[in-house]
Amino acid sequence: MKEKSEYQNQPVHPVAVGKLMLIGAGVGLFVSLFFVLGGEPEPNWPQLWWIRPVLVVPAAGALGGLFYYNMDHLRAQGGWREIIAYLISLVVFMIVLWLGTVLGLAGTMWD
């Protein structure tokens, strides 16, 4: 049986998945606070209407950070694959963040 070298056992990504998820959640929190603090609530909305967007949008951002982490095997190959991985990661992050924003603000600001 052939043993793997120490180089092969190293993770591809130098940044932990939790850190990337926190960065994505921070972006999501910024987006949700932009909408929550930027407008005046309607009188027929519940009193705590802002809780759902503040929880759902950062969770979607964290999922976008997780996807970025999972695309690292493609990014580590270099060349045109690295460019494709960055583009796919950006597009998926934007789509997930948009869907989280729609889901978080549905029934209130996104009606």
Side-chain angles (χ1 to χ4, degrees), residues 11 26 33 38 42 48 52 58 68 77 79 92 111:
L33 289 177
E42 301 263 339
L48 299 174
R52 186 170 68 177
Y68 179 85
Q77 294 176 5
V92 168
D111 212 7

Side-chain angles (χ1 to χ4, degrees), residues 16-47:
V17 65
K19 188 172 183 179
L20 292 174
M21 290 178 74
L22 280 175
I23 291 170
V27 171
L29 182 64
F30 178 76
V31 169
S32 67
L33 289 177
F34 174 76
F35 285 110
V36 168
L37 298 176
E40 198 63 35
E42 301 263 339
N44 59 347
W45 294 350
Q47 183 179 3

